[in-house]
Amino acid sequence: MRAFCVVLLATLALAAAGCGDDTEVEVVWGGPPDPGAGGVVSVNGFASFQGSVDEHWESSAVMAAAEFLRLDKRTVQRTTIDAQATAEGRGPQTVVVTLDGLLDDSVSAERWTLAFDEADGVYRLTAALRELRCWPGRGHRAFAPEPCT
């Protein structure tokens, strides 16, 4: 009986030790909000999201742009990314992402112009602009913030 009690107590002690909640909650960015007037997109939500994570993509303006736009969830024919940095490669950067060949009946392409500031190796999104190019017969053919028809 004594051996049974020792085993029971050991089992209860192990079970109690494992009761803590050590699970990590994964925070996921849902993607950019809808643009406002002139194609300007609020970056406040992404700034809050970025403040709650410590991820490898934060060390690259291009990777941060991909996270902001959720490029992993987009379906397009071509994605073009052009990044402009200072000569030293650090500091403010502008990243232009063009999503061409959208599966949409009126919008053929989106162009995002994203501005980033860098501090301590972390790139923070400071401004975002979305412009559209319409399919022929559905509106403007040059990139512009106005919607397609």
Side-chain angles (χ1 to χ4, degrees):
M1 181 71 174
R2 181 176 166 105
F4 174 76
C5 288
V6 170
V7 171
L8 179 61
L9 287 175
T11 303
L12 289 175
L14 287 173
C19 286
D21 189 6
D22 292 337
T23 60
E24 291 186 26
V25 176
E26 182 181 4
V27 180
V28 178
W29 169 246
D34 291 332
V40 175
V41 177
S42 173
V43 298
N44 295 335
F46 190 71
S48 295
F49 166 70
Q50 196 170 7
S52 69
V53 299
D54 182 18
E55 296 289 341
H56 72 282
W57 53 259
E58 294 179 288
S59 64
S60 163
V62 169
M63 295 298 290
E67 184 69 22
F68 175 72
L69 296 174
R70 289 304 311 259
L71 292 182
D72 61 325
K73 302 293 183 190
R74 301 296 302 258
T75 303
V76 298
Q77 292 176 356
R78 287 169 303 286
T79 301
T80 305
I81 301 174
D82 181 33
Q84 302 294 320
T86 61
E88 298 83 28
R90 288 283 185 209
Q93 289 193 20
T94 300
V95 179
V96 178
V97 179
T98 305
L99 307 169
D100 201 359
L102 297 174
L103 301 177
D104 187 283
D105 63 346
S106 59
V107 179
S108 70
E110 289 181 10
R111 181 172 65 192
W112 291 83
T113 303
L114 308 171
F116 291 89
D117 280 339
E118 183 267 335
D120 299 323
V122 174
Y123 285 89
R124 304 253 181 236
L125 182 62
T126 59
L129 174 70
R130 185 190 80 169
E131 298 174 294
L132 305 174
R133 181 174 60 215
C134 306
W135 288 110
R138 300 306 300 253
H140 49 86
R141 292 293 296 145
F143 280 105
E146 291 80 25
C148 300
T149 57

